[in-house]
């Protein structure tokens, strides 16, 4: 199994360019199923979740060409099946978007339950509630979701989500795009990638308004045609580099970002003593590595993202004083990676939804294991800070979502080796 061997202690200096957003890409690529015509998509990150999604689409009959390393032409005009290959569907979480996309296109879908990062119970009841409200007959088996039109057929509807769910919001937007009538999603998620998906679909001819607010309206259209679109930069990848520089100390220009998307993260790092200089599409992060304690509570956007919980936990582990980190999206997200950080010397006490972190002068290298994507990224940051060598195992999780992580970090002065065995 491949692993990273990290020699810690280097400051990070230089410039890093952020890739296209993973969570937007894994929604926008299956959304091309709705389009009869060529979708030219720029800023597609080369990460394993995207490769799996493209493989699923190709199996369904999509034509995929590369115009440049991160620009693809995706043509789903001739896809012929509403049953994607379960072997690949089970390899990633966001494959659940195939349900909404295929339901919209074929008025039926047969999709295996998704796999991916299992840092918590991740139910899809709100997705199912949405499909049923749109008139689908839903048959859930132990490992499949089968959707077909119910007795009254498929049509727009009003859906109020019981929990703010990114996945359900995306899935319902996709499912509703080609249905007759108007769909209203209340208590919708507001994450940047929801807006990005809606912008992509509108570029292709959909009629969606309100994305980025808690009420999204979708007016059904008869068909979507091709067009060209560029995926937004990855808020969480950028946040991971900011946290890494905060922890190691250094001075790095993080470019290709949307500054507004970063504020929920930079405001907390600023409280910890990190400096930021903003430009139109970049931010410079300056840190002397001496951090102060703070309090963070994860929340749906525009709150502090749960996907940055583990990275800021590393910063708190070496900050002066006692920090409190409360998780309000996925309660069990602390388990696993906090034990790994403890083996590196971090002092973390978990009490229900809150981790109480007593900052230590330093961490020390150890052999640790990534339990999911973001937890894995946090262990990399811990390794960059620690004295001595850290080995991070299970890096397949990290490579789901970070494009060329080793290359980008090493260009900033990190010392990470990727070993195959
Ligand atoms: C998405 C992101 C993931 C991020 C998460 C929260 C993608 C591909 N993944 O995951 O990186 O960590 O948002 O920002 O974009 N819930 C239900 N029922 C449902 C759906 C969700 O109870 O049907 C609950 C979940 O258990 C969780 C909360 O709602 O507590 C938010 O989950 P959701 O926003 O749906 O997360 P994902 O879309 O799976």
């Amino acid at each position: 199994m491949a692993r990273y061997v990290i020699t810690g202690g280097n400051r990070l200096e230089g410039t890093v360019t952020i890739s296209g957003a993973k969570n937007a890409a894994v929604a926008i690529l299956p959304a091309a199923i709705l389009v009869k015509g060529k979708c030219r998509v720029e800023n597609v990150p080369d990460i394993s979740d995207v490769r799996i999604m493209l493989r699923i689409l190709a199996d369904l009959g999509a034509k995929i060409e590369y115009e440049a390393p991160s620009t693809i032409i995706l043509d789903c005009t001739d896809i012929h099946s509403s049953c994607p290959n379960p072997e690949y569907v089970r390899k990633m979480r966001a494959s659940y978007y195939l349900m909404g996309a295929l339901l919209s296109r074929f008025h039926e879908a047969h999709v295996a339950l998704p796999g991916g990062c299992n840092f918590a119970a991740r139910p899809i009841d709100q997705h199912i509630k949405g499909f049923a409200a749109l008139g689908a007959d839903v048959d859930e088996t132990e490992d499949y979701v089968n959707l077909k039109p119910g007795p009254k057929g498929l049509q727009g509807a009003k859906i109020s989500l019981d929990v703010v769910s990114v996945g359900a919001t995306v899935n319902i937007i996709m499912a509703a795009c080609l249905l007759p009538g108007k769909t209203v999603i209340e208590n919708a998620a507001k994450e940047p990638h929801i807006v990005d998906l809606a912008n992509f679909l509108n570029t292709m001819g959909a009629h969606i308004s309100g994305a980025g607010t808690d009420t999204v309206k979708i007016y059904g259209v008869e068909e979507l045609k091709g067009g060209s679109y560029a995926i937004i930069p990855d808020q969480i990848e950028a946040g991971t580099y900011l946290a890494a520089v905060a922890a190691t100390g250094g001075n790095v220009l993080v470019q290709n970002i949307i500054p507004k998307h970063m504020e929920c993260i930079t405001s907390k790092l600023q409280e910890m003593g990190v400096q930021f200089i903003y430009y139109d599409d970049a931010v410079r992060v300056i840190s002397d590595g001496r951090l102060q304690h703070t309090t963070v509570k994860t929340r749906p956007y525009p709150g502090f993202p749960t996907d940055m919980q583990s990275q800021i936990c590393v910063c708190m582990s070496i900050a002066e004083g006692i920090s409190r980190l409360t998780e309000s999206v996925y309660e069990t997200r602390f388990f696993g990676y906090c034990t790994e950080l403890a083996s590196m010397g971090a002092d973390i006490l978990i009490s229900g939804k809150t981790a109480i972190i007593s900052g230590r002068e330093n961490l020390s290298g150890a052999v640790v294991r990534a339990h999911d994507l973001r937890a894995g990224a946090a262990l990399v940051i811990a390794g960059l800070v620690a004295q001595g060598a850290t080995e991070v195992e299970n890096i397949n999780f990290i490579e789901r979502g970070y494009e060329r992580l080793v290359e980008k970090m090493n260009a900033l002065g990190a010392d990470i080796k990727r070993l195959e065995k």
Side-chain angles (χ1 to χ4, degrees), residues 90 111-113 124 128 138-146:
R90 291 192 187 109
V111 183
L113 287 171
I124 57 165
I128 300 296
V138 184
D139 169 36
E140 268 187 279
T141 68
E142 210 174 290
D143 48 6
Y144 258 84
V145 174
N146 300 298

Side-chain angles (χ1 to χ4, degrees), residues 23 96 122-126 165-167 193 307 329-330 333:
N23 285 348
Y96 51 33
R122 298 180 79 180
I124 57 165
D125 57 297
Q126 297 302 302
S165 161
V166 171
H193 43 292
D307 283 354
V329 181
Y330 289 112
R333 206 164 185 171

Side-chain angles (χ1 to χ4, degrees), residues 16 43 50 66 158 205 237 260 265 302 344 395:
V16 63
N43 224 13
V50 160
Y66 278 84
K158 188 168 173 183
E237 187 198 12
K260 185 80 195 156
I265 300 166
M344 298 178 74
I395 60 169

Side-chain angles (χ1 to χ4, degrees), residues 103 106-109 134-138 146-154:
L103 181 67
F106 291 111
H107 286 195
E108 61 168 38
L134 295 172
D137 183 61
V138 184
N146 300 298
L147 305 169
K148 61 178 189 194
K152 292 187 182 156
L154 298 171

Side-chain angles (χ1 to χ4, degrees), residues 123-410:
I124 57 165
D125 57 297
Q126 297 302 302
H127 307 230
I128 300 296
K129 169 178 156 166
F131 300 143
L134 295 172
D137 183 61
V138 184
D139 169 36
E140 268 187 279
T141 68
E142 210 174 290
D143 48 6
Y144 258 84
V145 174
N146 300 298
L147 305 169
K148 61 178 189 194
K152 292 187 182 156
L154 298 171
Q155 58 195 319
K158 188 168 173 183
I159 300 148
S160 181
L161 295 178
D162 303 324
V163 290
V164 179
S165 161
V166 171
T169 305
V170 166
N171 239 336
I172 296 167
I173 290 175
M174 288 207 255
C177 260
L178 297 177
L179 299 186
K182 172 179 160 187
T183 295
V184 180
I185 309 172
E186 283 177 347
N187 201 24
K190 297 182 273 203
E191 266 66 4
H193 43 292
I194 305 247
V195 180
D196 209 33
L197 171 79
N199 287 343
F200 166 80
L201 288 166
N202 284 342
T203 303
M204 304 299 150
H207 187 175
I208 302 163
S209 66
T213 75
D214 54 15
T215 305
V216 181
K217 294 179 184 155
I218 305 112
Y219 302 86
V221 296
E222 288 207 345
E223 61 170 14
L224 302 186
K225 296 198 173 113
S228 186
Y229 191 77
I231 291 174
I232 53 168
D234 197 308
Q235 176 206 30
I236 305 299
E237 187 198 12
T240 302
Y241 283 96
L242 297 181
V245 179
T248 59
N251 182 330
V252 170
L253 184 70
V254 179
Q255 64 183 15
N256 189 35
I257 59 145
I258 296 176
K260 185 80 195 156
H261 294 168
M262 304 312 304
E263 283 170 7
C264 46
I265 300 166
T266 53
S267 61
K268 281 294 158 187
L269 291 173
Q270 220 160 347
E271 280 175 25
M272 300 182 84
V274 182
Q275 277 176 269
F276 295 96
I277 304 169
Y278 277 105
Y279 305 94
D280 284 349
D281 60 358
V283 61
R284 180 171 293 283
V285 48
I286 303 163
S287 167
D288 60 9
R290 285 197 295 274
L291 302 174
Q292 297 301 315
H293 63 93
T294 191
T295 300
V296 168
K297 189 169 193 174
T298 66
R299 294 240 181 245
Y301 191 80
F304 187 91
T306 175
D307 283 354
M308 280 297 300
Q309 181 221 89
S310 52
Q311 299 90 319
I312 201 148
C313 184
V314 177
C315 296
M316 291 169 159
S317 298
I318 52 158
E320 206 178 298
I322 298 176
S323 296
R324 290 173 70 86
L325 177 55
T326 301
E327 173 59 46
S328 53
V329 181
Y330 289 112
E331 282 182 30
T332 54
R333 206 164 185 171
F334 290 122
F335 296 106
Y337 87 86
C338 285
T339 314
E340 306 292 335
L341 284 182
S343 76
M344 298 178 74
D347 183 346
I348 306 171
L349 180 71
I350 299 167
S351 168
K353 292 180 180 182
T354 300
I356 297 152
I357 302 149
S358 306
R360 289 280 170 261
E361 196 112 311
N362 211 335
L363 301 177
S364 44
V367 178
V368 288
R369 178 168 270 253
H371 292 258
D372 65 67
L373 165 63
R374 305 305 171 186
L379 295 176
V380 170
I381 298 174
L384 293 175
V385 173
Q387 284 173 339
T390 296
E391 286 191 30
V392 182
E393 299 176 340
N394 271 8
I395 60 169
N396 55 311
F397 278 117
I398 302 172
E399 294 179 354
R400 273 173 197 276
Y402 287 91
E403 187 176 49
R404 295 182 287 109
L405 176 78
V406 173
E407 195 185 308
K408 289 184 185 185
M409 285 290 189
N410 286 350

